[in-house]
Every structure is written in C-alpha cells, then in structure tokens.
Amino acid sequence: MAKLNHCFFFFFFFFVLLISSCEGALASKVDTVRVGVILDLNSSVGRIAQRYISMALSHFYAVNNHFRTNLTLVTRDSQNDVVVASFGSVRALDLMKNEKVHAIIGPQRSEEAQFLIDLGRKTNVPIISFSATSPSLSPTKNEFFIRTAHDDSCQVKAIADILKSYGWMELILIYEDTNYGNGLIPYLTDALREVNARVLHRCVISPGSGDSEIRMKLKSLKENYAQTRIFLVHMTASVGSKLFLQAKKSGIMDEGYAWIVTEGLSSLLDPVHSKAINSMEGVLGLRPFIPFSSRKVQVSKLKSSIKGQNLFGLWAYDTVWAVATAVEKSGMAHSGFVTLNTGENEVDIAALGTFKDGRKLLNALLNTTFDGVSGEFHLVKGQLQPSTFEIFNVVGKHERIIGYWTQTKGLRRDLNDNGNKAVNSKLKNPVWPGDNTINQPNNKLRIGIPVRNAFTEFINVENETDVNGGPKISGFSYEVFMAVLEVLEFPLPHEFIHFGENGTMAGTYDELLYKIKYQEYDAVVGDTAIVANRSTYVDFTLPYSESGVSMVVLVKDNEKKDFWIFLKPLSLDLWLTTGLVFILIGLVIWVLEHRINTEFRGPPEHQLGTIFWFSFSTLVFAHREKLVNNLSKFVLIIWIFVVLILTQSYTASLASMLTVKQLRPLFDDVQEIRKHGYFVGYQNNSFVKDLLLNQLRFSEDKLRPYNTPEEYNVALSKGEVAAIFDGIPYIKLFLNKYCSNFTIIGPIYKTEGLGFAFQQGSPLVPYMSRAILKVTEDKDKMEAIKRKTFRSKPTCEDKSATISSGSNLSVYSFGGLFIITGVASISALLLHLFNFIRSHWPVLNDHHLHSERSFLAKIVDLIKHFDKKDHSSYHFNRSESTVYSAQNLEANFVASVPNHIADVQNHSRTSSEGGEDNDTSIDTLHTS
C-alpha cells in the first residue's frame, strides 16, 4: 500500500511537470508586438488615458487568450512639450529606432501631432491618435494617420442649432491660441453664418496665460461688450478650468449671461477639479452620445480604480482593442524594419528605415469594426464619425442631459419621437448661470423710438405708464413690431430708448439712425422710411407699409358760367386737327367724284362750296350728295365711323361738365410749380427734403417744413405753399381729415416704404423680414392693427364732387383713328390718280405726235382733261344719261353752231380757190 502511494505521488508529480512544460512551450509560441504610446502624464487627460489603456490591454487578452500575438506597450511622457514629444531623440525617434515599435498611439495634443504624422508617413508606421481632434489634421491627406476620435468640425452644426433655438444671434467667441483652438474657427464661422449668427468679438487666450492676464481680458469683454452676454468657449480642460475660475470672479457667470462649451471641455465627465466645477453653474455643453453597451458596463465596474472618467479615456480604451485586433489579423509577429542607414545619430530620420508591413497593418486598422465602449468602432476616411450629440447643463457639481442633436432631425428633447413632436423639438429648460430657471439669458436689444407730437397714429410715446412702469407706446409701427415678435422663431428681449422728450424729437430721422451706426442703439422701431443713402450705414428689414412719395394740392370748383363751355370738352389741338381732317375728306371725295358725278361739277365757287358742305355735313350725317365711286364710299365709311366716335366722346364730356360738379387741382404737375417759383412744403425732419432738393431740383429757399396735418391744411388753404410733398401713408392720413379740399396729383416717386432698422450685418434682419412677411400677409391681423391705430374716418363735406385733372380730350386720345383715316384717304386718292394718268397719258402723246411739247404743257393738258366729264364711265345710270341728253342737247347745239359756221366759211373759200363744190360743206352743216 505504501509502495502504491509512492507510485501515485511519483506519477502525479511527473504529470504536473509535464503540464508545466507544455504550458511553457505553448507560451513560447505567443509573439510579442511592440506598440509605442506618447501621453502627457502631467495632465488629467493623459493620466486617465494611461489607466484606460492598461485596463483595455488586460481586458482584451483576458477575452482573447487564444490569440497568437500579444501587445507590449512602450510609453513615453511628452511632458507637455511639443518638441520633446515629436522631435526628441529619446521620445518618438527612440520608439521607432530603438524599440522597433510597429505603431504609435498618440500624441495627445493636436499641435504635437503634425511632426509625428510626417515621421509615420516616412517610416510607414501608423500613428493612431484618440485626442488630436483639430480639423487641420486630416487622415485623408496624411496616409499613415488614423484618428480614433471625432473631428472637432462635426460639432459646429449642433452648436449653430443651439444658438438658433435660443435666438442667440450675436456672441463672443473665446478660444485658446493653439492648433486645437485655431483649427475649428473657420468651420465654426461658416456654420454660424448659415443660421445668420455672427461673432462680435474673438478673445484668444494663450495656454500659458496666468490668472491675472485672463482676468484682464474678461474684464475688457464685460466693459466693451456689455450688451453681448452670450459666450462660446473652445478650449482644452487645462486652459478652460482657469478661464471659468476667473469668469466667476469677474462677475460674468452671474444671472443674465449664457455660456456654451465645445466638445473639448464637454467630453470630460469630470472635467476639472471641484473648484472649477463650482464656477461652471448653468453652462451648456455638448459631447458625442455614448450608447449603452455590455463592455461599457464592464468598464464601469472598474471605475472605482480610475480617478475620473472622460470620453478621451473611452476612445483610448477602444484604440487599444482596435490595434490589438488589427495586429492579430495582419499576422505580423515577426515583421520589422528594413534599415536604410545605420547611422549612430539617434535623431537621424534616415537611419530609421521603413516598416515593411506598415501598410498591411494600416489596412487592417481601417477595416476593423467592433462594438466599443464609446460606441460602434467604425472608421470612415480614417476617423470615427459621430451620429448623435447629447446636450447637458451643469447643475451644481453634476450634469443634467437636456436634449440631443442628430444630423437628420436636429435638436430633440428625447431620442424617441414619442409624444408631441413640436415639444420634442425643443430642449428641456436648463438652469442658467446665477441659479436662474425663469428668464433666459439673451442680448437685450436696445431699440430707439422717435418721440413726436405729429402723426402719432404711426408712433406715439404717451404720458401714461405701461404695466412695466415705463411710458406707454402705441401706434401703427409699434403694433406691427409687436406682432412680428409674436411670430418670430425665438424670443427677442429688448428695451425701448426714447429719442426725444415731451413730444419733441431730439433730431432728425437720419440722426436717429446714426445712433445705430455709432452702436448707441441696436435697432430703431418707428415710421422710418427705407432710403438708399440710409442703407449705407444701417440694414433695413422688408417694408411693412406701402411705399412712394407724392404731392397733395388744393382743389377748386371747376364749374364756370361760361357760354364758351361747349368748347371745353376738346383741346385746341384736337379742334384744329378735326377741322383739317374735315377739309381733307371733302377734298378727297371731290377728287374721286369730280369726273363722274354731276353733283361735284359746276362753276369753281360751286365746287368749293360742295367740298366744305359735304365734309362738314357728315358731322350730323346730313350730306345729300350721292356717291358713285367705290373708293369714295370706302373713304366715307371710315370717316363716318370716326365722326361717330368724336361726337359721342364730345357729348359725354360736355354732359359731364354740365351735370357733375368738377373739382380741379390748382396745379397739375411739379414742373408748373417749379417753373413759376412757388413754395412747397414737406414733413419736418423727414427724408422728403433731400428728395425735393436732389431729385426734383427745388431750390432750398422754396421749401417750408411743417409738422402736423393741421399745419398742412392751413398752409395749402391760405396759399402759403402750392403743394405738400410727403410719403403716401402720411398723405392718406391727411386726406382722411381733409379729403374734400385736397387731392393727390402728379406721379408717385418710388421709395421702399417703412421698415425697421438694425446694425449693418445684424443676423436679426432676415428673421425679422420673414416675420414681417407673415404678419403683412395675414390680412385680418393687418386690418385689426389699422382699425386700432387709425381710428379717424374721412370727413368730406361733399362726396358728390369729383376731382378733375383739368385735362380735356386731346389729339393723342384719337391719334389711332386719325391715322387710319389719313391712310385710307391718301391711299384711295393715289389709286384714283394713278388710274387716271395711266389711261390718259398715251392719248396726250399721240395727240401731240408731230409737235414738240414740254412736260409742263402735257401736265396742263392732263389737268384740263381731268376737269372734263367722263361720259364713258359706267358709274352714272340710265336716268342720269337721259336727263343729260334732254336738258343739255339744246345748249350743246347752240354752242357748237358758231364753230361749224366758221368751219363752213373757211371750207368755202378753200373750195373756191380749188374749184371744189360747196354743197358738201352745206350738207355737213345740216348734218351737224
């Protein structure tokens, strides 16, 4: 039995030795891969990251104990020194040359990264940073650079949406003067421009700045930008902690201020020590949203061993997992450097050689994906891509999540869409600095209000007090402004500052607007006209009232007991033109009818009378002459149509003059007033004076200023001025009271109307303009405002009177008719003359074949032929031919006898001499 026990013990001991030797053999098969780590171990971020890296390495191989590779981390402390971190022989170069690392995790800061990135590109060593987030470092432009974190530029749209949601259109930007701080500014300003926000001032703080220097800069901001209470901070934790401590002491962390911090500060769950946390009450921040995962739970169980947590630590944890996974996938246990130079100089870059499997490891890293503690680890273009940000509010020493931001939905109260979507699109109510939970901090708008005692329907500062204890303000412009604020996308805190007192303005409207230019006011609300020269120093919103400048003049009764009134309907030029056309028509008809119509023949005085009688008798359609020429009929039809229109127009105009009371303006246009040197009036302190001087060319000594509608009435009624020039809204208000005695006359001089004025470049202008459009397009709301502010009604004494411009019917009114008549008449006349000449010109040439006749003599003969009646024409009928034969036969015979007798006598003498018989001549006479 004892021997048996000894044998059993021997075999058990042998088995243990065998197992141990097997484990040693297996262990000897695990290949070690060296990876460098560069951190600033003097910073809280560096220290926390180092702990996360060690924990990640332990967790990874506890889960993946079957892997054939094992990472060995070689850590170097950058000591917050850029040169040592990136160029020191005992740091990065030492890691590559002496330690033969396959990859480097780090550096911690963006400004340290550029040299190390260049070094990795030359040696094919991947540089993996979890905290160098400056957009100036681009993985797409640096082949061997991988960022296992988010680019800072991915947060700018979320920041812009937060500013827009609270209506913060103007802010002060505070950032540190480093590559990290400066790299984000171009992207941030572009995002702010998209929401019409602007940075009023940039405050740059050096990382080495002491407390006194920071305090002096904050004091300067408080004094020089007192109206701007919104601050955006982009800093690392080390600089940001100093800033907030001094901001608390400077009094700009009190009630009425608002602070937003970017991801650099927000990513720290315990960002700074307790003193700084106490100074950040009410601060808003945003950081990438970290979804729940099992590995995060595993890490949280060990958080007691890590003092402080931050997002950079989680990214560092996932970075180690990614590198370990990629090394195992790429199978580069025995890979190493191909040395190009064997120099002994530790800082000789050429002596490093290149990592022969560097690209293989790089590709493995880029294709590595897993569910990490910071979310899904998936590299896009060499870096992580965030999808959601969470927005928190510092309350005491803790943080309260008040909403989220996603690229697709923007700001959300909850990530789930349950409930009211309108409510879910707004953030939860935060606690503002100064433990303020009611009044949202904002830049209070200083709005100038003109104080005046005239045209108070537009703007009126009353002696009564409002609910807030200040003077009560009313009027059309004020009511429109308040209606605009109701539909504005965000609240707009403001205060009204009165420009003047006791009903008297402290200057002109131009001087009021200059207050904006000199930054005494932020805006002006009142009946401010939009004029080109004013737009050079302020920005106007869209107009909320109609535009234009015109003149109002006195009207007089145009009803006169004048027996020449029947001449008034037509102007002198129309009378003369009509008379000339009457004569022309008569002449044309005579020419067309003279040769074929006996009614247009006879002695010259008879024919002349016929011309005038026929044309003027058509006026009353009393012409009795029958026309036989078709061209004459064509001309007469057109002329009768013209006469009909003329007579009807004349009758209507005369009837109106005799039956309706006519009010005629004393002056018809500006030229008449300026030509005679009359005085004109305008509204005091308005832009109309410049219009009269520069555009209408009035002399300044002919201008008289007035203030009230009552003064307008007196000046026009007593003849102090010939006209009053003012904006259309004011003239309409004036005519509401005195519409029976005055009227608007002349052209309307274009202006852009009334609008609200803001500082040039103000981001509020587009928002206010869109709100004005909403209000003005709401007809019911505008009518309600007008009924409330313009209570007076027209008080015309005689509403049956009509305003006559004094212009009677002119040639221009009937120009088209006269042109048609003229063309038709001349065409018919030319056609008739052409036919006549064509038919008679060859006869003249044959008749004078054997005689040389001049052209003038031929024309005279042609005229004589024209005066003869055309018996061959078929235009006259049988009865007319019979009448002609019966009545004129005797007269023709008597007229022809003397001629025949003379011919016979001449023939007899010729025959006697020639011995010829006289009987033939006598027979000829009898035949005749």
Side-chain angles (χ1 to χ4, degrees):
M1 188 68 181
K3 290 181 179 181
L4 183 61
N5 290 335
H6 283 293
C7 289
F8 176 78
F9 178 77
F10 174 77
F11 282 112
F12 177 75
F13 181 73
F14 178 77
F15 179 76
V16 170
L17 290 177
L18 181 62
I19 293 298
S20 300
S21 61
C22 290
E23 287 181 352
L26 291 174
S28 64
K29 292 182 179 180
V30 176
D31 297 317
T32 299
V33 177
R34 302 176 69 81
V35 174
V37 179
I38 298 179
L39 296 172
D40 178 12
L41 299 179
N42 292 324
S43 67
S44 59
V45 174
R47 291 191 297 269
I48 294 174
Q50 184 185 33
R51 298 188 184 102
Y52 271 92
I53 288 173
S54 299
M55 183 172 59
L57 194 64
S58 173
H59 288 175
F60 182 83
Y61 288 110
V63 175
N64 302 290
N65 53 12
H66 60 284
F67 277 16
R68 295 186 303 105
T69 57
N70 195 339
L71 293 187
T72 298
L73 302 180
V74 182
T75 303
R76 293 290 185 266
D77 184 6
S78 66
Q79 300 178 1
N80 196 22
D81 190 332
V82 176
V83 175
V84 172
S86 59
F87 195 72
S89 59
V90 294
R91 298 296 184 266
L93 292 173
D94 174 61
L95 289 174
M96 292 183 181
K97 184 175 182 179
N98 299 326
E99 300 295 340
K100 303 296 182 183
V101 295
H102 292 183
I104 293 180
I105 299 176
Q108 182 177 319
R109 295 181 176 84
S110 297
E111 59 270 17
E112 302 170 1
Q114 189 59 59
F115 178 82
L116 196 56
I117 290 173
D118 293 337
L119 195 61
R121 177 174 51 81
K122 294 176 181 179
T123 59
N124 288 356
V125 174
I127 307 299
I128 308 140
S129 177
F130 58 84
S131 57
T133 57
S134 174
S136 61
L137 305 174
S138 174
T140 58
K141 297 180 180 179
N142 299 282
E143 185 178 10
F144 280 86
F145 174 56
I146 294 177
R147 178 157 42 209
T148 54
H150 300 152
D151 184 344
D152 279 337
S153 63
C154 65
Q155 63 183 316
V156 295
K157 289 186 177 180
I159 295 173
D161 284 350
I162 294 175
L163 294 172
K164 180 181 178 180
S165 67
Y166 289 117
W168 294 334
M169 297 293 100
E170 295 179 333
L171 62 133
I172 293 176
L173 177 60
I174 305 176
Y175 59 98
E176 65 178 58
D177 189 14
T178 60
N179 185 284
Y180 166 79
N182 295 316
L184 183 66
I185 305 307
Y187 301 89
L188 183 60
T189 52
D190 288 344
L192 295 180
R193 191 180 298 112
E194 291 182 2
V195 296
N196 295 313
R198 64 171 179 171
V199 177
L200 287 182
H201 180 72
R202 299 180 183 182
C203 179
V204 184
I205 296 179
S206 173
S209 299
D211 292 345
S212 59
E213 183 180 351
I214 295 176
R215 189 164 54 251
M216 288 296 295
K217 289 189 176 183
L218 293 176
K219 182 180 179 181
S220 176
L221 293 178
K222 184 178 181 180
E223 294 176 352
N224 298 328
Y225 299 92
Q227 294 299 318
T228 306
R229 295 169 170 254
I230 313 302
F231 297 90
L232 176 61
V233 181
H234 177 57
M235 290 180 173
T236 57
S238 57
V239 183
S241 60
K242 294 188 293 183
L243 172 72
F244 280 102
L245 285 172
Q246 299 308 315
K248 183 71 173 180
K249 295 179 181 179
S250 300
I252 53 177
M253 289 296 297
D254 299 335
E255 183 175 351
Y257 290 91
W259 292 76
I260 302 177
V261 294
T262 60
E263 183 182 318
L265 280 171
S266 302
S267 296
L268 302 175
L269 302 180
D270 183 18
V272 286
H273 50 77
S274 58
K275 290 183 179 180
I277 280 290
N278 294 333
S279 303
M280 296 178 67
E281 175 79 27
V283 171
L284 299 183
L286 78 162
R287 60 183 169 224
F289 170 67
I290 302 174
F292 178 84
S293 70
S294 58
R295 192 173 295 117
K296 182 180 177 182
V297 175
Q298 182 182 9
V299 174
S300 64
K301 293 179 180 179
L302 301 176
K303 66 180 181 180
S304 58
S305 63
I306 302 176
K307 184 180 180 181
Q309 288 186 343
N310 62 51
L311 183 59
F312 293 119
L314 299 179
W315 281 333
Y317 184 98
D318 286 343
T319 301
V320 172
W321 275 67
V323 173
T325 302
V327 167
E328 179 68 20
K329 287 182 177 180
S330 59
M332 52 182 58
H334 302 289
S335 182
F337 279 78
V338 176
T339 304
L340 301 178
N341 191 316
T342 58
E344 298 295 330
N345 190 351
E346 290 185 344
V347 297
D348 186 3
I349 298 177
L352 295 176
T354 57
F355 180 34
K356 62 180 181 180
D357 288 329
R359 187 171 300 279
K360 186 177 181 181
L361 177 59
L362 176 67
N363 292 331
L365 279 168
L366 293 175
N367 294 320
T368 297
T369 59
F370 58 90
D371 184 18
V373 296
S374 62
E376 181 185 5
F377 187 92
H378 175 64
L379 299 177
V380 178
K381 296 181 180 181
Q383 62 186 7
L384 294 180
Q385 298 293 322
S387 59
T388 304
F389 284 91
E390 62 181 9
I391 303 165
F392 67 89
N393 176 218
V394 177
V395 181
K397 294 184 179 181
H398 304 283
E399 296 158 339
R400 171 174 168 259
I401 305 300
I402 62 173
Y404 302 88
W405 182 89
T406 66
Q407 293 180 349
T408 56
K409 298 181 180 180
L411 294 177
R412 313 293 296 172
R413 177 171 295 199
D414 296 303
L415 287 179
N416 298 324
D417 288 333
N418 298 331
N420 192 326
K421 291 185 178 182
V423 175
N424 195 31
S425 62
K426 298 180 180 179
L427 301 176
K428 298 176 183 177
N429 294 328
V431 176
W432 302 108
D435 198 22
N436 171 27
T437 58
I438 300 176
N439 298 320
Q440 174 189 319
N442 215 322
N443 303 325
K444 184 171 286 188
L445 209 63
R446 300 165 298 172
I447 301 177
I449 293 287
V451 178
R452 54 186 307 180
N453 57 5
F455 293 104
T456 53
E457 292 85 352
F458 288 96
I459 194 73
N460 184 27
V461 180
E462 304 177 18
N463 294 327
E464 304 176 15
T465 57
D466 58 12
V467 293
N468 297 322
K472 184 179 180 180
I473 303 174
S474 61
F476 177 72
S477 299
Y478 173 80
E479 295 296 337
V480 171
F481 178 74
M482 299 308 294
V484 168
L485 294 186
E486 291 178 2
V487 301
L488 201 61
E489 302 175 18
F490 45 81
L492 188 65
H494 59 275
E495 59 176 335
F496 292 115
I497 303 174
H498 303 150
F499 185 67
E501 58 183 5
N502 298 326
T504 303
M505 285 184 63
T508 65
Y509 275 84
D510 288 338
E511 292 172 346
L512 171 61
L513 294 176
Y514 267 107
K515 295 282 186 179
I516 297 179
K517 180 180 180 180
Y518 298 135
Q519 298 185 355
E520 297 182 34
Y521 298 160
D522 298 311
V524 166
V525 170
D527 51 340
T528 311
I530 303 174
V531 187
N533 67 313
R534 291 175 177 175
S535 64
T536 60
Y537 51 89
V538 297
D539 281 350
F540 286 100
T541 63
L542 290 177
Y544 60 85
S545 179
E546 58 188 321
S547 62
V549 173
S550 190
M551 70 174 181
V552 59
V553 298
L554 185 67
V555 295
K556 63 180 180 179
D557 189 355
N558 199 33
E559 183 180 359
K560 296 181 179 180
K561 297 179 179 180
D562 187 358
F563 56 85
W564 297 108
I565 194 172
F566 68 91
L567 297 175
K568 299 294 183 181
L570 306 184
S571 62
L572 178 61
D573 57 350
L574 183 56
W575 279 116
L576 295 176
T577 303
T578 305
L580 291 175
V581 176
F582 269 108
I583 297 173
L584 174 64
I585 294 298
L587 183 62
V588 170
I589 296 296
W590 176 85
V591 171
L592 297 176
E593 297 288 331
H594 177 66
R595 300 190 71 245
I596 61 175
N597 193 337
T598 56
E599 295 186 8
F600 289 87
R601 297 186 63 80
E605 61 274 10
H606 172 74
Q607 296 183 45
L608 183 62
T610 301
I611 291 174
F612 284 96
W613 159 255
F614 179 84
S615 61
F616 283 98
S617 64
T618 59
L619 183 64
V620 290
F621 310 105
H623 54 285
R624 57 182 176 82
E625 292 81 5
K626 294 182 178 180
L627 303 181
V628 296
N629 192 330
N630 288 332
L631 292 176
S632 303
K633 296 175 182 179
F634 169 71
V635 173
L636 185 61
I637 289 174
I638 294 178
W639 174 238
I640 288 176
F641 175 71
V642 174
V643 169
L644 177 63
I645 294 178
L646 281 172
T647 54
Q648 293 297 323
S649 301
Y650 174 86
T651 303
S653 181
L654 182 61
S656 176
M657 289 182 177
L658 294 175
T659 58
V660 181
K661 183 179 180 180
Q662 300 289 317
L663 297 178
R664 183 179 184 276
L666 286 181
F667 304 97
D668 293 330
D669 52 42
V670 177
Q671 288 76 14
E672 181 182 359
I673 297 174
R674 188 171 55 230
K675 178 181 178 181
H676 292 88
Y678 296 129
F679 289 96
V680 294
Y682 64 94
Q683 186 181 160
N684 193 22
N685 296 326
S686 73
F687 75 98
V688 178
K689 180 179 179 180
D690 293 332
L691 183 143
L692 294 173
L693 293 174
N694 301 326
Q695 186 172 339
L696 299 183
R697 306 299 180 186
F698 277 97
S699 176
E700 188 169 3
D701 59 352
K702 297 297 181 181
L703 306 183
R704 292 185 176 180
Y706 298 98
N707 294 304
T708 65
E710 291 73 21
E711 291 181 5
Y712 286 6
N713 179 38
V714 173
L716 288 170
S717 300
K718 292 185 177 182
E720 296 178 6
V721 294
I724 293 288
F725 287 83
D726 209 343
I728 297 296
Y730 304 99
I731 289 180
K732 286 188 174 181
L733 193 61
F734 168 69
L735 293 180
N736 268 351
K737 299 180 179 179
Y738 306 101
C739 56
S740 62
N741 300 325
F742 309 97
T743 184
I744 297 176
I745 201 69
I748 295 177
Y749 302 96
K750 179 67 176 176
T751 62
E752 296 302 321
L754 305 180
F756 304 128
F758 290 83
Q759 291 182 359
Q760 279 196 323
S762 173
L764 291 173
V765 173
Y767 291 100
M768 294 294 292
S769 295
R770 285 193 288 269
I772 287 173
L773 286 178
K774 293 180 182 179
V775 172
T776 54
E777 289 177 356
D778 189 341
K779 302 301 181 183
D780 295 335
K781 179 174 290 187
M782 289 301 295
E783 286 299 322
I785 293 175
K786 290 179 180 179
R787 286 195 300 268
K788 180 179 179 180
T789 54
F790 303 121
R791 298 187 180 92
S792 60
K793 301 294 182 181
T795 58
C796 299
E797 296 177 359
D798 185 4
K799 298 181 181 178
S800 64
T802 60
I803 304 297
S804 171
S805 64
S807 58
N808 37 25
L809 299 176
S810 64
V811 174
Y812 186 80
S813 304
F814 303 95
L817 292 174
F818 287 135
I819 291 174
I820 294 174
T821 303
V823 171
S825 302
I826 299 301
S827 299
L829 181 62
L830 293 176
L831 180 60
H832 178 73
L833 292 178
F834 173 77
N835 290 332
F836 172 76
I837 294 172
R838 186 185 63 177
S839 60
H840 289 81
W841 191 262
V843 177
L844 291 176
N845 291 334
D846 294 342
H847 181 71
H848 303 287
L849 184 62
H850 302 291
S851 62
E852 294 297 332
R853 302 273 294 183
S854 66
F855 178 79
L856 181 60
K858 293 180 181 181
I859 295 298
V860 172
D861 289 341
L862 192 64
I863 293 175
K864 290 179 179 180
H865 275 279
F866 179 80
D867 190 46
K868 294 179 181 180
K869 187 172 181 63
D870 185 6
H871 296 286
S872 63
S873 175
Y874 60 88
H875 288 292
F876 57 92
N877 53 29
R878 179 184 301 272
S879 61
E880 185 179 343
S881 176
T882 304
V883 172
Y884 172 82
S885 299
Q887 294 179 352
N888 298 324
L889 181 59
E890 181 180 358
N892 291 338
F893 174 76
V894 172
S896 63
V897 167
N899 294 330
H900 283 287
I901 293 174
D903 291 339
V904 169
Q905 291 174 351
N906 293 332
H907 182 73
S908 298
R909 286 192 296 267
T910 305
S911 299
S912 298
E913 295 174 359
E916 295 181 359
D917 190 15
N918 294 333
D919 293 338
T920 305
S921 299
I922 295 174
D923 292 339
T924 302
L925 176 62
H926 285 290
T927 301
S928 302

